[in-house]
Amino acid sequence: MMLRTYQPDDMDAATELFLQVFAAEPFGYTWLTKATLERYFTDLANTPGAMSFMYYEAEEPAGLCLGFVNDYFRAKLYDIKEYAVRKDLQGTGVGSRMLDEISAHLRKQDFHAITLSTQREIAAYGFYVKNGFIDSTSTATLSKSI
């Protein structure tokens, strides 16, 4: 098991893993393409404050976490934008181990919290709650179709 900072040469492994997870059920995002993800991941990597990780088990990509540093007033936060674990490893503890390693890495750099947004009705919600995330009733994620 090894966590390392995402590098530009991780693009192929990251896009393949992401496609394998999110183009399949239960998500079924059939509109996702390698080209679309390459643009998206490049945009994320080039955003100020970008901090992302790849997680390996047995020298094979097992998961990825894409996010940003958010120096928010008094606390240094890490905001997860994308989190994925290879389909065949989901439910085996890999996602929790990856999150533990990310948390340990961030604590060493004086981060105070990890934030993220997800939908309550998908399995990821239960995963995050199980791993200590709290569903805040004082904040809301809003959207508007245009």
Side-chain angles (χ1 to χ4, degrees):
M1 299 173 281
M2 179 183 74
L3 179 75
R4 68 179 180 78
T5 303
Y6 179 88
Q7 301 296 317
D9 63 345
D10 290 320
M11 181 70 75
D12 285 338
T15 56
E16 286 178 33
L17 190 148
F18 201 86
L19 278 169
Q20 186 242 14
V21 171
F22 291 103
E25 292 302 322
F27 299 100
Y29 297 159
T30 56
W31 50 267
L32 280 176
T33 66
K34 186 172 172 68
T36 302
L37 286 175
E38 286 175 352
R39 284 192 308 273
Y40 177 48
F41 289 177
T42 299
D43 287 348
L44 288 175
N46 290 323
T47 301
M51 179 187 283
S52 298
F53 304 95
M54 290 291 293
Y55 188 69
Y56 288 83
E57 287 212 340
E59 298 185 30
E60 292 291 322
L64 67 94
C65 178
L66 307 175
F68 301 96
V69 174
N70 187 348
D71 261 330
Y72 189 66
F73 299 107
R74 299 176 303 200
K76 191 172 174 183
L77 309 176
Y78 179 66
D79 187 27
I80 295 175
K81 291 297 178 193
E82 302 293 347
Y83 195 87
V85 172
R86 212 172 67 210
K87 283 270 298 174
D88 63 316
L89 296 175
Q90 291 177 8
T92 67
V94 167
S96 294
R97 287 192 298 276
M98 181 169 72
L99 196 52
D100 287 345
E101 288 197 34
I102 291 167
S103 297
H105 176 82
L106 295 172
R107 271 192 301 276
K108 289 177 189 173
Q109 296 182 30
D110 294 323
F111 280 79
H112 296 227
I114 300 173
T115 59
L116 60 86
S117 293
T118 193
Q119 297 170 330
R120 286 183 180 90
E121 62 274 355
I122 63 172
Y125 177 83
F127 165 78
Y128 293 123
V129 170
K130 177 186 85 168
N131 280 280
F133 285 79
I134 298 167
D135 190 348
S136 174
T137 57
S138 64
T139 61
T141 299
L142 305 172
S143 66
K144 175 183 174 184
S145 294
I146 54 171

